[in-house]
């Protein structure tokens, strides 16, 4: 019964998954910090406790994410782009395009029938198409980030957000509030502006279906609907699996592959 794990140190959130015999059992999400080495240990500890296994029982650990080199106990570091593709393919084998919206970057990832990476496009230069954008806007409106989804599905036409930059968009939001515009209209405008950026990034890859969304922002169904409308395609769901953990899941699956390869090598050196 192989036990493997992955720790995904993202720019904003850190995630860990323990995989026992191919089943994800310990899954943890927590905030990233200015001490990624410590965060990696802590998040891994929590996942081990959740899965009820000891660190010594884990045969292989993959470190992934923006801070993957800081996962000191990892046996191998793998790019989160590869890991998101692998995790998405495991959950839904028909997936060919993964839209990963994280805290500080957004990626469109194209994979083949086996879940291997074919191509990707990334925005990591500008906050406006990322989770950071929605977080900043929620702060300006003094509403919880999670409430944005409800506001998006509220009454009213979306208002136009004209600022191309998230810093300017923040002042624009404050002006709109001062002008008496209702929050649902502002939130819809903001989500549409994020969706337009994500859609244009995704189109660059050619838009091969099936399409799924991963990353923390995928939890907002309003963002998903807005992206679907912009791309004029349906985005498939993982039926309950947390999209924020898909990269860590993919990392753990790759860890299991390393074990399987090892198993096929004669242990005593004789063929
Ligand atoms: P990273 O790996 O870059 O740290 P994640 O994929 O872990 O990114 O996603 C983190 C982002 O997800 C943060 O910007 C956070 O605000 C956003 N997020 C988390 N939960 C939600 C939610 N319910 N609605 C919208 N955004 C969310």
């Amino acid at each position: 019964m192989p036990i493997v794990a992955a720790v995904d140190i993202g720019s904003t959130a850190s995630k860990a998954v323990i995989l026992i015999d191919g089943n994800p059992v310990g899954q943890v999400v927590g905030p990233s910090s200015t001490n990624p080495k410590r965060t990696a240990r802590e998040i891994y500890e929590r996942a081990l406790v959740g899965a009820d296994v000891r660190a010594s029982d884990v045969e292989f650990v993959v470190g992934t994410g923006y801070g993957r080199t800081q996962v000191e106990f990892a046996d191998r570091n793998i790019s989160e782009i590869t890991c998101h593709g692998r995790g998405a393919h495991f959950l839904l084998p028909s997936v060919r395009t993964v839209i990963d919206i994280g805290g500080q970057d957004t990626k469109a990832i194209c994979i083949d029938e086996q879940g291997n990476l074919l191509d990707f496009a990334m925005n990591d230069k500008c906050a406006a198409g990322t989770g950071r954008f929605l977080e900043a806007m929620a702060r300006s409106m003094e509403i919880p980030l999670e409430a944005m989804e409800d506001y998006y599905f509220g009454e009213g036409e979306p208002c136009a957000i004209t600022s191309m930059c998230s810093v300017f968009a923040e002042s624009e939001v404050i002006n709109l509030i001062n002008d008496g515009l209702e929050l649902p209209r502002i939130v819809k405008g903001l989500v549409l502006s994020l969706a337009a950026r994500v859609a244009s990034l995704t189109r660059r890859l050619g838009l091969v279906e099936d399409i799924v969304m991963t990353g923390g922002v995928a939890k907002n169904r309003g963002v998903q609907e807005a992206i679907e409308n912009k791309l004029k395609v349906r985005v498939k769901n993982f039926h309950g699996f947390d999209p924020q953990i898909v990269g860590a899941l993919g990392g753990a699956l790759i860890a299991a592959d390393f074990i399987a390869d090892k198993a096929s090598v004669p242990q005593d050196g004789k063929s």
Side-chain angles (χ1 to χ4, degrees):
M1 189 168 75
I3 304 179
V4 293
V7 177
D8 175 357
I9 303 297
S11 63
T12 310
S14 294
K15 288 77 65 177
V17 168
I18 310 288
L19 206 66
I20 302 183
D21 229 3
N23 297 308
V25 284
Q27 303 163 35
V28 183
V29 179
S32 289
S33 75
T34 50
N35 188 338
K37 287 183 179 148
R38 195 179 66 205
T39 302
R41 291 206 172 277
E42 286 174 357
I43 203 99
Y44 184 46
E45 266 310 312
R46 284 175 54 200
L48 288 170
V49 170
D52 197 22
V53 297
R54 289 180 306 235
S56 55
D57 296 331
V58 180
E59 290 182 56
F60 204 97
V61 182
V62 160
T64 185
Y66 175 80
R68 60 186 173 275
T69 58
Q70 306 297 308
V71 186
E72 293 174 303
F73 48 90
D75 296 293
R76 198 66 71 98
N77 293 328
I78 307 282
S79 153
E80 68 273 21
I81 297 169
T82 302
C83 291
H84 276 269
R86 185 62 201 277
H89 173 264
F90 174 81
L91 295 169
L92 199 68
S94 56
V95 170
R96 296 293 174 271
T97 305
V98 181
I99 303 172
D100 170 33
I101 313 180
Q104 284 187 30
D105 60 30
T106 296
K107 303 167 189 104
I109 303 163
C110 196
I111 57 173
D112 68 13
E113 297 78 16
Q114 278 80 45
N116 300 311
L117 178 68
L118 291 176
D119 197 7
F120 73 95
M122 173 152 77
N123 158 35
D124 60 352
K125 299 281 182 287
C126 162
T130 71
R132 190 54 52 97
F133 175 75
L134 289 184
E135 280 177 47
M137 300 306 142
R139 258 198 313 276
S140 313
M141 290 181 283
E142 298 178 348
I143 61 171
L145 177 70
E146 291 74 19
M148 281 192 126
E149 182 179 285
D150 290 337
Y151 282 111
Y152 174 87
F153 288 111
E155 296 282 302
E157 288 301 305
C159 56
I161 303 290
T162 53
S163 305
M164 299 299 280
C165 161
S166 60
V167 177
F168 290 147
E170 231 170 314
S171 337
E172 197 175 343
V173 163
I174 290 164
N175 290 339
L176 291 168
I177 293 171
N178 290 339
D179 289 345
L181 269 104
E182 299 81 14
L183 289 184
R185 296 193 55 199
I186 302 176
V187 170
K188 274 184 221 180
L190 290 168
V191 169
L192 290 181
S193 124
L194 178 132
R197 284 163 190 277
V198 176
S200 81
L201 182 83
T202 310
R203 263 195 223 99
R204 276 203 248 153
L205 279 193
L207 216 63
V208 187
E209 293 187 67
D210 287 341
I211 300 174
V212 289
M213 284 173 61
T214 62
V217 179
K219 294 185 205 193
N220 183 322
R221 286 180 305 113
V223 172
Q224 176 173 335
E225 188 198 83
I227 290 173
E228 287 180 328
N229 290 341
K230 293 272 178 206
L231 291 176
K232 297 189 175 52
V233 293
R234 281 264 153 266
V235 169
K236 300 256 167 148
N237 290 311
F238 294 123
H239 303 297
F241 195 88
D242 182 348
Q244 195 167 10
I245 306 179
V246 172
L249 170 67
L253 290 162
I254 293 169
D257 289 347
F258 279 114
I259 296 293
D261 282 346
K262 255 194 211 162
S264 66
V265 174
Q267 294 301 309
D268 58 2
K270 294 179 206 139
S271 51

